[in-house]
Amino acid sequence: MGIKRLVKKIITIQTHIMTWELNLCQKFICTKKHTDLIRRQHIKKVKSTKLNEYQKYYRQFKMKAPCIDYYFFAPFLSEYGKDPARIIPESLVQNRVNPILNPIEYRAYYQDKNNFERILPPETLPETVLRKIRGKYYTKDYQLIENLNNEQLLKYVSTFKNIIVKPSVDSSSGHGVNLFISQNGHFKHIYGSKELSVAYLEKNYGDDIIIQKCMNQSPYLSLFNPTSINTIRVCIYRSVKDDDIKVLWHILRIGKNGSFVDNAHAGGVFIGINQDGKLDNHLLNQYGDKFSIYNDIDFSKNTYSIPNWNKVIEFSKSIGRSILHHRLIQLDVMLDTNNDPYLIEYNINAPGVWVALFTGQYVLADYSDEILEYCMRHKEKGKKTIFIPA
């Protein structure tokens, strides 16, 4: 065997070992999280014929379904009259589904918010003011700005009332998102005396930033919390059979009073939305705790619906048609003052299995057979590889 072939074989073996270790680590993290939540929710581990159905279902796709996911999520689905045998394990989605439907080699480009306007129609997004890409500042039209100073920075943002500053890469759950309010020619941070300046950006952010206009949201959605942009999370799937965009599930996220972000990990809650755009009668937090009253609003009467719902669904499908390399996508959609939808961001790295199941929705909807069969047949595509030039 030649040296080059031997090196390739060694690296391939090492890659498979690394992939196995990563999958094992992800499985351990999911198991630990669900075990802790079972204790918190005082859920009893009761074996049933449904548990057997659940495990048997995944065996046909050569996949192993951990019992812990069934024990934890079954009560949530059962409450909605849904079949707990259709629970999909979080670790299975991360290890066996997402790497195949959303190939890792394309994710970095698609996840960078500074590339959104190269991928999507600009009119679907909040207006960009400035960018920082790999340490260099650019205009919204990707024109290089040499040696940006405070006077230039304020000139770019001066026409806006409020602006949002956030990392364009490696951001999630609202981390690093900051709101600045225009006051007497300066932009003050919403939670203090800090002013927007080049020095502030250099100190508090890395090499990749996006600065955007902060849009005013729908008055209807503002009723639930006026201080945060309350976004609609829509999970879509581009079919492996015909490339048609399918909507899998949807929720509304609501920030806690006084917060300007709506993420559950930042103290917010979420509520299920049915196929007609009607909200559920209770909300949940990241631990699965249920609330019928939140921000002094009673949801138990089940009288709230998302405005312009059909347009939200069609908008979500149109976004999916532009993201060609990925098939399982979560969109965060806001409604403006006219109830027109805009995309805040999308996620292709970590499907929100727990969010869907907490709200009694099937993660893969009616397409689990199609998806799991495809992932079984294309298992090799999900393995991480290292390229060696010939």
Side-chain angles (χ1 to χ4, degrees):
M1 182 183 291
I3 293 178
K4 186 172 288 188
R5 285 185 63 192
L6 178 61
V7 170
K8 284 186 178 182
K9 191 166 186 66
I10 292 172
I11 291 182
T12 299
I13 292 171
Q14 289 177 330
T15 302
H16 287 320
I17 292 172
M18 289 168 61
T19 302
W20 176 81
E21 289 175 340
L22 178 61
N23 291 347
L24 189 65
C25 180
Q26 289 174 334
K27 185 176 180 180
F28 172 78
I29 291 171
C30 290
T31 300
K32 176 67 166 60
K33 179 178 73 174
H34 295 157
T35 301
D36 292 343
L37 290 174
I38 282 174
R39 292 195 189 100
R40 180 186 177 100
Q41 297 294 336
H42 306 291
I43 295 171
K44 294 181 179 180
K45 299 179 182 179
V46 179
K47 291 189 176 182
S48 68
T49 56
K50 286 295 182 182
L51 174 58
N52 295 331
E53 288 179 31
Y54 158 77
Q55 293 182 312
K56 182 179 178 181
Y57 175 73
Y58 289 103
R59 280 199 294 270
Q60 68 181 311
F61 302 108
K62 297 181 172 57
M63 300 176 183
K64 186 175 181 180
C67 294
I68 194 72
D69 291 74
Y70 177 88
Y71 291 136
F72 179 57
F73 289 116
F76 293 95
L77 281 185
S78 298
E79 182 179 343
Y80 287 86
K82 300 292 184 66
D83 184 0
R86 291 186 58 185
I87 292 167
I88 185 165
E90 199 163 7
S91 59
L92 192 151
V93 175
Q94 292 285 17
N95 297 333
R96 299 291 297 277
V97 175
N98 209 46
I100 295 170
L101 296 187
N102 297 338
I104 194 168
E105 59 266 34
Y106 301 117
R107 289 188 203 172
Y109 180 82
Y110 277 90
Q111 283 285 101
D112 189 336
K113 296 175 183 63
N114 274 319
N115 290 331
F116 281 11
E117 284 158 285
R118 295 186 181 276
I119 299 167
L120 304 168
E123 62 271 17
T124 64
L125 303 160
E127 183 178 351
T128 296
V129 183
L130 279 177
R131 316 175 188 277
K132 188 180 183 186
I133 304 173
R134 300 194 69 181
K136 299 288 186 180
Y137 289 97
Y138 294 83
T139 67
K140 65 179 183 180
D141 299 317
Y142 300 95
Q143 300 300 309
L144 179 65
I145 304 172
E146 296 283 2
N147 302 316
L148 180 71
N149 57 42
N150 287 336
E151 184 179 351
Q152 290 174 304
L153 175 60
L154 290 175
K155 184 177 179 181
Y156 280 112
V157 301
S158 61
T159 58
F160 300 94
K161 184 178 179 181
N162 303 326
I163 59 167
I164 293 286
V165 182
K166 57 187 176 183
S168 66
V169 298
D170 298 329
S171 64
S172 61
S173 301
H175 296 307
V177 180
N178 285 289
L179 173 64
F180 287 85
I181 311 295
S182 178
Q183 293 182 4
N184 301 320
H186 298 274
F187 279 80
K188 300 276 189 179
H189 193 281
I190 189 172
Y191 291 144
S193 59
K194 293 180 181 177
E195 288 189 15
L196 180 68
S197 65
V198 175
Y200 174 89
L201 297 177
E202 294 296 320
K203 179 181 178 180
N204 294 281
Y205 289 91
D207 288 341
D208 297 275
I209 311 170
I210 187 166
I211 302 176
Q212 294 175 310
K213 172 186 176 181
C214 180
M215 299 182 65
N216 294 321
Q217 72 173 328
S218 161
Y220 186 86
L221 295 186
S222 287
L223 293 174
F224 305 131
N225 181 30
T227 65
S228 63
I229 300 295
N230 305 307
T231 55
I232 304 161
R233 168 70 59 92
V234 182
C235 185
I236 58 174
Y237 158 63
R238 189 158 53 84
S239 173
V240 296
K241 289 187 174 180
D242 58 14
D243 279 335
D244 187 38
I245 304 297
K246 317 290 186 182
V247 175
L248 303 184
W249 51 267
H250 18 65
I251 62 162
L252 173 67
R253 305 192 305 178
I254 302 172
K256 64 181 178 181
N257 194 22
S259 173
F260 69 90
V261 294
D262 62 357
N263 309 75
H265 294 307
V269 296
F270 52 91
I271 186 169
I273 308 172
N274 73 11
Q275 299 299 318
D276 299 320
K278 190 175 182 180
L279 299 188
D280 209 339
N281 59 7
H282 66 264
L283 313 97
L284 301 104
N285 63 14
Q286 62 178 320
Y287 306 111
D289 300 325
K290 297 182 180 69
F291 309 87
S292 58
I293 297 176
Y294 189 73
N295 289 343
D296 297 323
I297 299 172
D298 187 355
F299 290 83
S300 63
K301 296 181 175 59
N302 203 14
T303 57
Y304 298 106
S305 296
I306 300 295
N308 221 356
W309 179 243
N310 289 336
K311 191 168 184 177
V312 170
I313 294 301
E314 289 307 312
F315 174 83
S316 300
K317 290 181 177 181
S318 72
I319 296 296
R321 295 186 192 104
S322 296
I323 302 175
L324 300 179
H325 288 90
H326 302 286
R327 294 186 179 275
L328 188 60
I329 309 161
Q330 295 178 82
L331 312 177
D332 289 338
V333 179
M334 71 160 288
L335 297 181
D336 72 358
T337 52
N338 296 315
N339 290 325
D340 288 326
Y342 284 82
L343 181 73
I344 299 299
E345 62 183 28
Y346 58 76
N347 184 355
I348 51 181
N349 276 332
V353 171
W354 56 281
V355 174
L357 292 173
F358 275 176
T359 54
Q361 301 181 78
Y362 296 132
V363 176
L364 303 181
D366 296 327
Y367 307 99
S368 56
D369 286 4
E370 171 185 319
I371 292 170
L372 296 176
E373 183 181 350
Y374 179 85
C375 292
M376 178 181 67
R377 289 190 286 107
H378 298 83
K379 183 178 178 181
E380 291 300 314
K381 289 185 177 181
K383 294 180 179 178
K384 300 170 180 61
T385 57
I386 297 175
F387 175 73
I388 300 178

